[in-house]
PDB file of all heavy atoms in Angstrom:
ATOM      1  N   LYS A   1       5.750   3.125  15.315  1.00 95.00           N
ATOM      2  CA  LYS A   1       6.431   2.054  14.602  1.00 95.00           C
ATOM      3  C   LYS A   1       6.832   0.916  15.542  1.00 95.00           C
ATOM      4  O   LYS A   1       6.991  -0.224  15.107  1.00 95.00           O
ATOM      5  CB  LYS A   1       7.644   2.590  13.863  1.00 95.00           C
ATOM      6  CG  LYS A   1       7.253   3.343  12.600  1.00 95.00           C
ATOM      7  CD  LYS A   1       8.492   3.758  11.816  1.00 95.00           C
ATOM      8  CE  LYS A   1       8.105   4.413  10.511  1.00 95.00           C
ATOM      9  NZ  LYS A   1       9.257   4.603   9.628  1.00 95.00           N
ATOM     10  N   GLN A   2       6.972   1.199  16.826  1.00 96.00           N
ATOM     11  CA  GLN A   2       7.289   0.139  17.778  1.00 96.00           C
ATOM     12  C   GLN A   2       6.091  -0.730  18.085  1.00 96.00           C
ATOM     13  O   GLN A   2       6.231  -1.837  18.615  1.00 96.00           O
ATOM     14  CB  GLN A   2       7.832   0.763  19.096  1.00 96.00           C
ATOM     15  CG  GLN A   2       9.146   1.437  18.934  1.00 96.00           C
ATOM     16  CD  GLN A   2       9.588   2.190  20.150  1.00 96.00           C
ATOM     17  OE1 GLN A   2       9.014   2.034  21.231  1.00 96.00           O
ATOM     18  NE2 GLN A   2      10.590   3.039  20.006  1.00 96.00           N
ATOM     19  N   ARG A   3       4.897  -0.250  17.735  1.00 96.00           N
ATOM     20  CA  ARG A   3       3.648  -0.980  18.071  1.00 96.00           C
ATOM     21  C   ARG A   3       2.936  -1.550  16.860  1.00 96.00           C
ATOM     22  O   ARG A   3       1.863  -2.143  16.989  1.00 96.00           O
ATOM     23  CB  ARG A   3       2.711  -0.043  18.817  1.00 96.00           C
ATOM     24  CG  ARG A   3       3.259   0.405  20.188  1.00 96.00           C
ATOM     25  CD  ARG A   3       2.249   1.185  20.957  1.00 96.00           C
ATOM     26  NE  ARG A   3       2.041   2.535  20.465  1.00 96.00           N
ATOM     27  CZ  ARG A   3       2.706   3.626  20.873  1.00 96.00           C
ATOM     28  NH1 ARG A   3       3.644   3.499  21.795  1.00 96.00           N
ATOM     29  NH2 ARG A   3       2.416   4.794  20.381  1.00 96.00           N
ATOM     30  N   ILE A   4       3.508  -1.357  15.674  1.00 97.00           N
ATOM     31  CA  ILE A   4       2.838  -1.841  14.446  1.00 97.00           C
ATOM     32  C   ILE A   4       3.772  -2.756  13.675  1.00 97.00           C
ATOM     33  O   ILE A   4       4.932  -2.889  14.009  1.00 97.00           O
ATOM     34  CB  ILE A   4       2.438  -0.656  13.539  1.00 97.00           C
ATOM     35  CG1 ILE A   4       3.680   0.078  13.038  1.00 97.00           C
ATOM     36  CG2 ILE A   4       1.467   0.283  14.249  1.00 97.00           C
ATOM     37  CD1 ILE A   4       3.477   0.905  11.800  1.00 97.00           C
ATOM     38  N   GLN A   5       3.202  -3.365  12.638  1.00 97.00           N
ATOM     39  CA  GLN A   5       3.987  -4.161  11.705  1.00 97.00           C
ATOM     40  C   GLN A   5       4.319  -3.300  10.483  1.00 97.00           C
ATOM     41  O   GLN A   5       3.487  -2.523  10.041  1.00 97.00           O
ATOM     42  CB  GLN A   5       3.194  -5.363  11.200  1.00 97.00           C
ATOM     43  CG  GLN A   5       2.935  -6.451  12.183  1.00 97.00           C
ATOM     44  CD  GLN A   5       2.199  -7.578  11.509  1.00 97.00           C
ATOM     45  OE1 GLN A   5       2.715  -8.186  10.573  1.00 97.00           O
ATOM     46  NE2 GLN A   5       0.991  -7.841  11.979  1.00 97.00           N
ATOM     47  N   GLU A   6       5.543  -3.488   9.969  1.00 98.00           N
ATOM     48  CA  GLU A   6       5.900  -2.848   8.705  1.00 98.00           C
ATOM     49  C   GLU A   6       6.398  -3.931   7.765  1.00 98.00           C
ATOM     50  O   GLU A   6       6.791  -5.002   8.187  1.00 98.00           O
ATOM     51  CB  GLU A   6       7.040  -1.855   8.923  1.00 98.00           C
ATOM     52  CG  GLU A   6       6.613  -0.561   9.572  1.00 98.00           C
ATOM     53  CD  GLU A   6       7.755   0.460   9.570  1.00 98.00           C
ATOM     54  OE1 GLU A   6       8.768   0.207  10.261  1.00 98.00           O
ATOM     55  OE2 GLU A   6       7.622   1.472   8.887  1.00 98.00           O
ATOM     56  N   CYS A   7       6.316  -3.611   6.476  1.00 98.00           N
ATOM     57  CA  CYS A   7       6.865  -4.495   5.461  1.00 98.00           C
ATOM     58  C   CYS A   7       7.501  -3.655   4.369  1.00 98.00           C
ATOM     59  O   CYS A   7       7.326  -2.450   4.336  1.00 98.00           O
ATOM     60  CB  CYS A   7       5.784  -5.406   4.864  1.00 98.00           C
ATOM     61  SG  CYS A   7       4.564  -4.519   3.889  1.00 98.00           S
ATOM     62  N   THR A   8       8.250  -4.303   3.490  1.00 98.00           N
ATOM     63  CA  THR A   8       8.909  -3.589   2.412  1.00 98.00           C
ATOM     64  C   THR A   8       7.987  -3.497   1.198  1.00 98.00           C
ATOM     65  O   THR A   8       7.000  -4.232   1.089  1.00 98.00           O
ATOM     66  CB  THR A   8      10.207  -4.297   2.011  1.00 98.00           C
ATOM     67  OG1 THR A   8       9.876  -5.553   1.401  1.00 98.00           O
ATOM     68  CG2 THR A   8      11.141  -4.489   3.182  1.00 98.00           C
ATOM     69  N   VAL A   9       8.342  -2.654   0.265  1.00 98.00           N
ATOM     70  CA  VAL A   9       7.584  -2.563  -1.001  1.00 98.00           C
ATOM     71  C   VAL A   9       7.701  -3.886  -1.766  1.00 98.00           C
ATOM     72  O   VAL A   9       6.748  -4.309  -2.403  1.00 98.00           O
ATOM     73  CB  VAL A   9       8.038  -1.378  -1.874  1.00 98.00           C
ATOM     74  CG1 VAL A   9       7.715  -0.052  -1.198  1.00 98.00           C
ATOM     75  CG2 VAL A   9       9.505  -1.445  -2.254  1.00 98.00           C
ATOM     76  N   ALA A  10       8.847  -4.562  -1.655  1.00 98.00           N
ATOM     77  CA  ALA A  10       9.012  -5.855  -2.333  1.00 98.00           C
ATOM     78  C   ALA A  10       8.045  -6.901  -1.757  1.00 98.00           C
ATOM     79  O   ALA A  10       7.490  -7.707  -2.490  1.00 98.00           O
ATOM     80  CB  ALA A  10      10.446  -6.340  -2.205  1.00 98.00           C
ATOM     81  N   ASP A  11       7.843  -6.841  -0.426  1.00 98.00           N
ATOM     82  CA  ASP A  11       6.864  -7.753   0.198  1.00 98.00           C
ATOM     83  C   ASP A  11       5.464  -7.520  -0.372  1.00 98.00           C
ATOM     84  O   ASP A  11       4.745  -8.471  -0.679  1.00 98.00           O
ATOM     85  CB  ASP A  11       6.815  -7.540   1.723  1.00 98.00           C
ATOM     86  CG  ASP A  11       8.092  -7.926   2.427  1.00 98.00           C
ATOM     87  OD1 ASP A  11       8.825  -8.821   1.929  1.00 98.00           O
ATOM     88  OD2 ASP A  11       8.342  -7.363   3.526  1.00 98.00           O
ATOM     89  N   VAL A  12       5.096  -6.250  -0.465  1.00 98.00           N
ATOM     90  CA  VAL A  12       3.748  -5.929  -0.969  1.00 98.00           C
ATOM     91  C   VAL A  12       3.605  -6.361  -2.437  1.00 98.00           C
ATOM     92  O   VAL A  12       2.606  -6.984  -2.808  1.00 98.00           O
ATOM     93  CB  VAL A  12       3.455  -4.417  -0.835  1.00 98.00           C
ATOM     94  CG1 VAL A  12       2.098  -4.074  -1.421  1.00 98.00           C
ATOM     95  CG2 VAL A  12       3.522  -3.991   0.630  1.00 98.00           C
ATOM     96  N   LYS A  13       4.600  -6.055  -3.243  1.00 98.00           N
ATOM     97  CA  LYS A  13       4.557  -6.441  -4.669  1.00 98.00           C
ATOM     98  C   LYS A  13       4.411  -7.937  -4.812  1.00 98.00           C
ATOM     99  O   LYS A  13       3.633  -8.441  -5.619  1.00 98.00           O
ATOM    100  CB  LYS A  13       5.806  -5.946  -5.373  1.00 98.00           C
ATOM    101  CG  LYS A  13       5.899  -6.309  -6.833  1.00 98.00           C
ATOM    102  CD  LYS A  13       4.939  -5.536  -7.704  1.00 98.00           C
ATOM    103  CE  LYS A  13       5.195  -5.594  -9.169  1.00 98.00           C
ATOM    104  NZ  LYS A  13       5.121  -6.910  -9.783  1.00 98.00           N
ATOM    105  N   ALA A  14       5.144  -8.695  -3.996  1.00 98.00           N
ATOM    106  CA  ALA A  14       5.082 -10.156  -4.052  1.00 98.00           C
ATOM    107  C   ALA A  14       3.692 -10.637  -3.655  1.00 98.00           C
ATOM    108  O   ALA A  14       3.130 -11.554  -4.280  1.00 98.00           O
ATOM    109  CB  ALA A  14       6.152 -10.778  -3.146  1.00 98.00           C
ATOM    110  N   ARG A  15       3.103 -10.050  -2.663  1.00 97.00           N
ATOM    111  CA  ARG A  15       1.731 -10.433  -2.223  1.00 97.00           C
ATOM    112  C   ARG A  15       0.735 -10.148  -3.348  1.00 97.00           C
ATOM    113  O   ARG A  15      -0.141 -10.958  -3.612  1.00 97.00           O
ATOM    114  CB  ARG A  15       1.317  -9.639  -0.991  1.00 97.00           C
ATOM    115  CG  ARG A  15       1.986 -10.065   0.297  1.00 97.00           C
ATOM    116  CD  ARG A  15       1.601  -9.092   1.421  1.00 97.00           C
ATOM    117  NE  ARG A  15       2.222  -9.438   2.671  1.00 97.00           N
ATOM    118  CZ  ARG A  15       1.562  -9.741   3.790  1.00 97.00           C
ATOM    119  NH1 ARG A  15       0.236  -9.746   3.791  1.00 97.00           N
ATOM    120  NH2 ARG A  15       2.199 -10.035   4.885  1.00 97.00           N
ATOM    121  N   LEU A  16       0.883  -8.979  -3.978  1.00 97.00           N
ATOM    122  CA  LEU A  16      -0.010  -8.631  -5.094  1.00 97.00           C
ATOM    123  C   LEU A  16       0.167  -9.607  -6.257  1.00 97.00           C
ATOM    124  O   LEU A  16      -0.813 -10.064  -6.826  1.00 97.00           O
ATOM    125  CB  LEU A  16       0.248  -7.192  -5.565  1.00 97.00           C
ATOM    126  CG  LEU A  16      -0.187  -6.081  -4.613  1.00 97.00           C
ATOM    127  CD1 LEU A  16       0.396  -4.727  -5.068  1.00 97.00           C
ATOM    128  CD2 LEU A  16      -1.694  -6.008  -4.502  1.00 97.00           C
ATOM    129  N   ASP A  17       1.397  -9.911  -6.574  1.00 97.00           N
ATOM    130  CA  ASP A  17       1.696 -10.849  -7.686  1.00 97.00           C
ATOM    131  C   ASP A  17       1.110 -12.240  -7.423  1.00 97.00           C
ATOM    132  O   ASP A  17       0.703 -12.917  -8.357  1.00 97.00           O
ATOM    133  CB  ASP A  17       3.201 -10.952  -7.928  1.00 97.00           C
ATOM    134  CG  ASP A  17       3.771  -9.696  -8.548  1.00 97.00           C
ATOM    135  OD1 ASP A  17       3.003  -8.824  -9.020  1.00 97.00           O
ATOM    136  OD2 ASP A  17       5.025  -9.566  -8.586  1.00 97.00           O
ATOM    137  N   ARG A  18       1.101 -12.655  -6.163  1.00 97.00           N
ATOM    138  CA  ARG A  18       0.552 -13.966  -5.799  1.00 97.00           C
ATOM    139  C   ARG A  18      -0.981 -13.927  -5.679  1.00 97.00           C
ATOM    140  O   ARG A  18      -1.598 -14.971  -5.523  1.00 97.00           O
ATOM    141  CB  ARG A  18       1.120 -14.425  -4.442  1.00 97.00           C
ATOM    142  CG  ARG A  18       2.581 -14.857  -4.492  1.00 97.00           C
ATOM    143  CD  ARG A  18       3.019 -15.541  -3.210  1.00 97.00           C
ATOM    144  NE  ARG A  18       2.882 -14.709  -2.023  1.00 97.00           N
ATOM    145  CZ  ARG A  18       3.858 -13.985  -1.493  1.00 97.00           C
ATOM    146  NH1 ARG A  18       5.057 -13.959  -2.055  1.00 97.00           N
ATOM    147  NH2 ARG A  18       3.664 -13.306  -0.405  1.00 97.00           N
ATOM    148  N   GLY A  19      -1.555 -12.724  -5.734  1.00 97.00           N
ATOM    149  CA  GLY A  19      -2.998 -12.611  -5.617  1.00 97.00           C
ATOM    150  C   GLY A  19      -3.523 -12.830  -4.209  1.00 97.00           C
ATOM    151  O   GLY A  19      -4.655 -13.266  -4.025  1.00 97.00           O
ATOM    152  N   GLU A  20      -2.680 -12.573  -3.219  1.00 97.00           N
ATOM    153  CA  GLU A  20      -3.108 -12.763  -1.823  1.00 97.00           C
ATOM    154  C   GLU A  20      -4.294 -11.838  -1.509  1.00 97.00           C
ATOM    155  O   GLU A  20      -4.324 -10.674  -1.945  1.00 97.00           O
ATOM    156  CB  GLU A  20      -1.965 -12.454  -0.868  1.00 97.00           C
ATOM    157  CG  GLU A  20      -0.899 -13.507  -0.851  1.00 97.00           C
ATOM    158  CD  GLU A  20       0.154 -13.252   0.241  1.00 97.00           C
ATOM    159  OE1 GLU A  20      -0.111 -12.535   1.209  1.00 97.00           O
ATOM    160  OE2 GLU A  20       1.261 -13.802   0.080  1.00 97.00           O
ATOM    161  N   PRO A  21      -5.250 -12.357  -0.740  1.00 97.00           N
ATOM    162  CA  PRO A  21      -6.376 -11.496  -0.361  1.00 97.00           C
ATOM    163  C   PRO A  21      -5.892 -10.433   0.626  1.00 97.00           C
ATOM    164  O   PRO A  21      -5.344 -10.751   1.674  1.00 97.00           O
ATOM    165  CB  PRO A  21      -7.363 -12.450   0.291  1.00 97.00           C
ATOM    166  CG  PRO A  21      -6.562 -13.664   0.667  1.00 97.00           C
ATOM    167  CD  PRO A  21      -5.386 -13.705  -0.246  1.00 97.00           C
ATOM    168  N   MET A  22      -6.054  -9.174   0.233  1.00 98.00           N
ATOM    169  CA  MET A  22      -5.630  -8.057   1.073  1.00 98.00           C
ATOM    170  C   MET A  22      -6.257  -6.770   0.562  1.00 98.00           C
ATOM    171  O   MET A  22      -6.697  -6.717  -0.582  1.00 98.00           O
ATOM    172  CB  MET A  22      -4.119  -7.931   1.088  1.00 98.00           C
ATOM    173  CG  MET A  22      -3.514  -7.662  -0.290  1.00 98.00           C
ATOM    174  SD  MET A  22      -1.712  -7.537  -0.230  1.00 98.00           S
ATOM    175  CE  MET A  22      -1.498  -5.962  -0.996  1.00 98.00           C
ATOM    176  N   HIS A  23      -6.243  -5.772   1.405  1.00 98.00           N
ATOM    177  CA  HIS A  23      -6.670  -4.434   1.036  1.00 98.00           C
ATOM    178  C   HIS A  23      -5.426  -3.584   0.999  1.00 98.00           C
ATOM    179  O   HIS A  23      -4.686  -3.500   1.986  1.00 98.00           O
ATOM    180  CB  HIS A  23      -7.665  -3.897   2.056  1.00 98.00           C
ATOM    181  CG  HIS A  23      -8.917  -4.731   2.158  1.00 98.00           C
ATOM    182  ND1 HIS A  23      -9.992  -4.565   1.314  1.00 98.00           N
ATOM    183  CD2 HIS A  23      -9.229  -5.761   2.989  1.00 98.00           C
ATOM    184  CE1 HIS A  23     -10.910  -5.440   1.631  1.00 98.00           C
ATOM    185  NE2 HIS A  23     -10.496  -6.179   2.632  1.00 98.00           N
ATOM    186  N   PHE A  24      -5.207  -2.940  -0.126  1.00 98.00           N
ATOM    187  CA  PHE A  24      -4.008  -2.112  -0.341  1.00 98.00           C
ATOM    188  C   PHE A  24      -4.497  -0.676  -0.395  1.00 98.00           C
ATOM    189  O   PHE A  24      -5.153  -0.265  -1.365  1.00 98.00           O
ATOM    190  CB  PHE A  24      -3.352  -2.551  -1.644  1.00 98.00           C
ATOM    191  CG  PHE A  24      -2.003  -1.955  -1.945  1.00 98.00           C
ATOM    192  CD1 PHE A  24      -1.133  -1.579  -0.933  1.00 98.00           C
ATOM    193  CD2 PHE A  24      -1.593  -1.806  -3.252  1.00 98.00           C
ATOM    194  CE1 PHE A  24       0.123  -1.063  -1.225  1.00 98.00           C
ATOM    195  CE2 PHE A  24      -0.338  -1.299  -3.575  1.00 98.00           C
ATOM    196  CZ  PHE A  24       0.505  -0.917  -2.550  1.00 98.00           C
ATOM    197  N   LEU A  25      -4.243   0.091   0.678  1.00 98.00           N
ATOM    198  CA  LEU A  25      -4.811   1.431   0.804  1.00 98.00           C
ATOM    199  C   LEU A  25      -3.769   2.514   0.818  1.00 98.00           C
ATOM    200  O   LEU A  25      -2.779   2.467   1.574  1.00 98.00           O
ATOM    201  CB  LEU A  25      -5.619   1.539   2.118  1.00 98.00           C
ATOM    202  CG  LEU A  25      -6.834   0.667   2.282  1.00 98.00           C
ATOM    203  CD1 LEU A  25      -7.511   0.972   3.608  1.00 98.00           C
ATOM    204  CD2 LEU A  25      -7.808   0.855   1.129  1.00 98.00           C
ATOM    205  N   ASP A  26      -4.010   3.531   0.014  1.00 98.00           N
ATOM    206  CA  ASP A  26      -3.213   4.740  -0.034  1.00 98.00           C
ATOM    207  C   ASP A  26      -3.893   5.727   0.918  1.00 98.00           C
ATOM    208  O   ASP A  26      -5.058   6.100   0.729  1.00 98.00           O
ATOM    209  CB  ASP A  26      -3.229   5.286  -1.474  1.00 98.00           C
ATOM    210  CG  ASP A  26      -2.334   6.499  -1.690  1.00 98.00           C
ATOM    211  OD1 ASP A  26      -2.350   7.394  -0.832  1.00 98.00           O
ATOM    212  OD2 ASP A  26      -1.692   6.559  -2.736  1.00 98.00           O
ATOM    213  N   VAL A  27      -3.178   6.183   1.940  1.00 98.00           N
ATOM    214  CA  VAL A  27      -3.787   7.090   2.918  1.00 98.00           C
ATOM    215  C   VAL A  27      -3.338   8.544   2.741  1.00 98.00           C
ATOM    216  O   VAL A  27      -3.525   9.384   3.595  1.00 98.00           O
ATOM    217  CB  VAL A  27      -3.508   6.625   4.373  1.00 98.00           C
ATOM    218  CG1 VAL A  27      -4.123   5.258   4.632  1.00 98.00           C
ATOM    219  CG2 VAL A  27      -2.022   6.622   4.704  1.00 98.00           C
ATOM    220  N   ARG A  28      -2.741   8.833   1.568  1.00 98.00           N
ATOM    221  CA  ARG A  28      -2.324  10.214   1.304  1.00 98.00           C
ATOM    222  C   ARG A  28      -3.521  11.091   1.012  1.00 98.00           C
ATOM    223  O   ARG A  28      -4.659  10.633   0.946  1.00 98.00           O
ATOM    224  CB  ARG A  28      -1.327  10.246   0.103  1.00 98.00           C
ATOM    225  CG  ARG A  28      -0.045   9.458   0.363  1.00 98.00           C
ATOM    226  CD  ARG A  28       0.839   9.429  -0.856  1.00 98.00           C
ATOM    227  NE  ARG A  28       0.150   8.817  -1.971  1.00 98.00           N
ATOM    228  CZ  ARG A  28       0.411   9.071  -3.271  1.00 98.00           C
ATOM    229  NH1 ARG A  28       1.366   9.908  -3.592  1.00 98.00           N
ATOM    230  NH2 ARG A  28      -0.261   8.451  -4.215  1.00 98.00           N
ATOM    231  N   GLU A  29      -3.254  12.369   0.796  1.00 96.00           N
ATOM    232  CA  GLU A  29      -4.304  13.340   0.465  1.00 96.00           C
ATOM    233  C   GLU A  29      -4.861  13.054  -0.916  1.00 96.00           C
ATOM    234  O   GLU A  29      -4.201  12.434  -1.757  1.00 96.00           O
ATOM    235  CB  GLU A  29      -3.736  14.770   0.530  1.00 96.00           C
ATOM    236  CG  GLU A  29      -3.204  15.180   1.881  1.00 96.00           C
ATOM    237  CD  GLU A  29      -4.286  15.238   2.946  1.00 96.00           C
ATOM    238  OE1 GLU A  29      -5.402  15.717   2.643  1.00 96.00           O
ATOM    239  OE2 GLU A  29      -4.019  14.837   4.095  1.00 96.00           O
ATOM    240  N   ASP A  30      -6.076  13.549  -1.169  1.00 95.00           N
ATOM    241  CA  ASP A  30      -6.751  13.318  -2.461  1.00 95.00           C
ATOM    242  C   ASP A  30      -5.874  13.729  -3.643  1.00 95.00           C
ATOM    243  O   ASP A  30      -5.762  12.962  -4.615  1.00 95.00           O
ATOM    244  CB  ASP A  30      -8.040  14.117  -2.544  1.00 95.00           C
ATOM    245  CG  ASP A  30      -9.095  13.606  -1.562  1.00 95.00           C
ATOM    246  OD1 ASP A  30      -8.896  12.555  -0.925  1.00 95.00           O
ATOM    247  OD2 ASP A  30     -10.122  14.283  -1.413  1.00 95.00           O
ATOM    248  N   HIS A  31      -5.253  14.924  -3.596  1.00 95.00           N
ATOM    249  CA  HIS A  31      -4.460  15.407  -4.731  1.00 95.00           C
ATOM    250  C   HIS A  31      -3.200  14.545  -4.962  1.00 95.00           C
ATOM    251  O   HIS A  31      -2.771  14.380  -6.079  1.00 95.00           O
ATOM    252  CB  HIS A  31      -4.104  16.875  -4.577  1.00 95.00           C
ATOM    253  CG  HIS A  31      -3.094  17.142  -3.479  1.00 95.00           C
ATOM    254  ND1 HIS A  31      -3.467  17.265  -2.149  1.00 95.00           N
ATOM    255  CD2 HIS A  31      -1.769  17.283  -3.521  1.00 95.00           C
ATOM    256  CE1 HIS A  31      -2.380  17.482  -1.418  1.00 95.00           C
ATOM    257  NE2 HIS A  31      -1.337  17.506  -2.227  1.00 95.00           N
ATOM    258  N   GLU A  32      -2.655  13.977  -3.878  1.00 96.00           N
ATOM    259  CA  GLU A  32      -1.489  13.108  -4.030  1.00 96.00           C
ATOM    260  C   GLU A  32      -1.903  11.823  -4.746  1.00 96.00           C
ATOM    261  O   GLU A  32      -1.191  11.366  -5.655  1.00 96.00           O
ATOM    262  CB  GLU A  32      -0.909  12.770  -2.655  1.00 96.00           C
ATOM    263  CG  GLU A  32      -0.290  13.953  -1.937  1.00 96.00           C
ATOM    264  CD  GLU A  32       0.153  13.564  -0.547  1.00 96.00           C
ATOM    265  OE1 GLU A  32      -0.715  13.332   0.309  1.00 96.00           O
ATOM    266  OE2 GLU A  32       1.382  13.482  -0.328  1.00 96.00           O
ATOM    267  N   PHE A  33      -3.015  11.243  -4.343  1.00 97.00           N
ATOM    268  CA  PHE A  33      -3.491  10.005  -4.974  1.00 97.00           C
ATOM    269  C   PHE A  33      -3.841  10.228  -6.432  1.00 97.00           C
ATOM    270  O   PHE A  33      -3.515   9.396  -7.294  1.00 97.00           O
ATOM    271  CB  PHE A  33      -4.731   9.478  -4.199  1.00 97.00           C
ATOM    272  CG  PHE A  33      -5.255   8.172  -4.738  1.00 97.00           C
ATOM    273  CD1 PHE A  33      -4.674   6.979  -4.385  1.00 97.00           C
ATOM    274  CD2 PHE A  33      -6.334   8.148  -5.611  1.00 97.00           C
ATOM    275  CE1 PHE A  33      -5.139   5.769  -4.888  1.00 97.00           C
ATOM    276  CE2 PHE A  33      -6.820   6.947  -6.112  1.00 97.00           C
ATOM    277  CZ  PHE A  33      -6.237   5.754  -5.747  1.00 97.00           C
ATOM    278  N   ALA A  34      -4.485  11.357  -6.738  1.00 95.00           N
ATOM    279  CA  ALA A  34      -4.890  11.648  -8.119  1.00 95.00           C
ATOM    280  C   ALA A  34      -3.679  11.815  -9.010  1.00 95.00           C
ATOM    281  O   ALA A  34      -3.725  11.414 -10.197  1.00 95.00           O
ATOM    282  CB  ALA A  34      -5.754  12.914  -8.148  1.00 95.00           C
ATOM    283  N   LYS A  35      -2.597  12.369  -8.492  1.00 96.00           N
ATOM    284  CA  LYS A  35      -1.387  12.552  -9.278  1.00 96.00           C
ATOM    285  C   LYS A  35      -0.827  11.212  -9.720  1.00 96.00           C
ATOM    286  O   LYS A  35      -0.561  10.993 -10.885  1.00 96.00           O
ATOM    287  CB  LYS A  35      -0.357  13.338  -8.488  1.00 96.00           C
ATOM    288  CG  LYS A  35       0.929  13.541  -9.252  1.00 96.00           C
ATOM    289  CD  LYS A  35       1.962  14.277  -8.405  1.00 96.00           C
ATOM    290  CE  LYS A  35       3.279  14.342  -9.142  1.00 96.00           C
ATOM    291  NZ  LYS A  35       4.377  14.721  -8.285  1.00 96.00           N
ATOM    292  N   ASP A  36      -0.617  10.310  -8.760  1.00 96.00           N
ATOM    293  CA  ASP A  36      -0.197   8.939  -9.067  1.00 96.00           C
ATOM    294  C   ASP A  36      -0.277   8.097  -7.792  1.00 96.00           C
ATOM    295  O   ASP A  36      -0.270   8.635  -6.695  1.00 96.00           O
ATOM    296  CB  ASP A  36       1.197   8.876  -9.706  1.00 96.00           C
ATOM    297  CG  ASP A  36       2.325   9.226  -8.770  1.00 96.00           C
ATOM    298  OD1 ASP A  36       2.086   9.602  -7.610  1.00 96.00           O
ATOM    299  OD2 ASP A  36       3.479   9.173  -9.204  1.00 96.00           O
ATOM    300  N   HIS A  37      -0.394   6.819  -7.994  1.00 97.00           N
ATOM    301  CA  HIS A  37      -0.500   5.875  -6.885  1.00 97.00           C
ATOM    302  C   HIS A  37      -0.087   4.490  -7.343  1.00 97.00           C
ATOM    303  O   HIS A  37       0.023   4.233  -8.538  1.00 97.00           O
ATOM    304  CB  HIS A  37      -1.908   5.869  -6.294  1.00 97.00           C
ATOM    305  CG  HIS A  37      -2.990   5.598  -7.294  1.00 97.00           C
ATOM    306  ND1 HIS A  37      -3.586   6.615  -7.996  1.00 97.00           N
ATOM    307  CD2 HIS A  37      -3.542   4.452  -7.743  1.00 97.00           C
ATOM    308  CE1 HIS A  37      -4.493   6.095  -8.814  1.00 97.00           C
ATOM    309  NE2 HIS A  37      -4.484   4.786  -8.680  1.00 97.00           N
ATOM    310  N   ALA A  38       0.195   3.645  -6.382  1.00 98.00           N
ATOM    311  CA  ALA A  38       0.580   2.265  -6.698  1.00 98.00           C
ATOM    312  C   ALA A  38      -0.567   1.564  -7.402  1.00 98.00           C
ATOM    313  O   ALA A  38      -1.736   1.720  -7.000  1.00 98.00           O
ATOM    314  CB  ALA A  38       0.951   1.530  -5.425  1.00 98.00           C
ATOM    315  N   LYS A  39      -0.240   0.845  -8.456  1.00 96.00           N
ATOM    316  CA  LYS A  39      -1.288   0.122  -9.211  1.00 96.00           C
ATOM    317  C   LYS A  39      -2.020  -0.835  -8.280  1.00 96.00           C
ATOM    318  O   LYS A  39      -1.388  -1.607  -7.557  1.00 96.00           O
ATOM    319  CB  LYS A  39      -0.661  -0.631 -10.375  1.00 96.00           C
ATOM    320  CG  LYS A  39      -1.680  -1.271 -11.252  1.00 96.00           C
ATOM    321  CD  LYS A  39      -1.087  -1.923 -12.489  1.00 96.00           C
ATOM    322  CE  LYS A  39      -2.212  -2.504 -13.294  1.00 96.00           C
ATOM    323  NZ  LYS A  39      -1.741  -3.162 -14.486  1.00 96.00           N
ATOM    324  N   GLY A  40      -3.329  -0.769  -8.343  1.00 94.00           N
ATOM    325  CA  GLY A  40      -4.148  -1.657  -7.533  1.00 94.00           C
ATOM    326  C   GLY A  40      -4.561  -1.103  -6.184  1.00 94.00           C
ATOM    327  O   GLY A  40      -5.348  -1.694  -5.483  1.00 94.00           O
ATOM    328  N   ALA A  41      -3.988   0.033  -5.801  1.00 97.00           N
ATOM    329  CA  ALA A  41      -4.323   0.612  -4.503  1.00 97.00           C
ATOM    330  C   ALA A  41      -5.646   1.342  -4.564  1.00 97.00           C
ATOM    331  O   ALA A  41      -6.008   1.942  -5.564  1.00 97.00           O
ATOM    332  CB  ALA A  41      -3.212   1.577  -4.052  1.00 97.00           C
ATOM    333  N   ARG A  42      -6.346   1.317  -3.449  1.00 97.00           N
ATOM    334  CA  ARG A  42      -7.560   2.118  -3.284  1.00 97.00           C
ATOM    335  C   ARG A  42      -7.205   3.304  -2.374  1.00 97.00           C
ATOM    336  O   ARG A  42      -6.268   3.225  -1.603  1.00 97.00           O
ATOM    337  CB  ARG A  42      -8.690   1.298  -2.666  1.00 97.00           C
ATOM    338  CG  ARG A  42      -9.194   0.246  -3.630  1.00 97.00           C
ATOM    339  CD  ARG A  42     -10.435  -0.438  -3.125  1.00 97.00           C
ATOM    340  NE  ARG A  42     -10.143  -1.169  -1.893  1.00 97.00           N
ATOM    341  CZ  ARG A  42     -11.058  -1.741  -1.141  1.00 97.00           C
ATOM    342  NH1 ARG A  42     -12.333  -1.625  -1.402  1.00 97.00           N
ATOM    343  NH2 ARG A  42     -10.720  -2.430  -0.058  1.00 97.00           N
TER     344      ARG A  42
END
């Protein structure tokens, strides 16, 4: 975390709402993603 950037969920939601070009990736396990995930995430 000292070497990366972080943002809040509100930041991500605002970017999505504005239609900013970005890749929104869920890196959880397959079964976690299948259960539920953030709308629009791959």
Side-chain angles (χ1 to χ4, degrees):
K1 285 184 175 191
Q2 293 173 13
R3 294 187 287 269
I4 65 160
Q5 289 183 62
E6 285 188 294
C7 68
T8 67
V9 295
D11 293 333
V12 177
K13 178 72 166 62
R15 286 173 181 240
L16 289 168
D17 289 348
R18 288 191 300 265
E20 287 186 21
M22 61 181 235
H23 299 274
F24 189 29
L25 297 182
D26 185 318
V27 298
R28 297 176 302 153
E29 300 294 320
D30 293 351
H31 70 277
E32 293 174 290
F33 182 81
K35 179 182 173 194
D36 69 359
H37 53 272
K39 185 175 181 181
R42 290 189 295 172

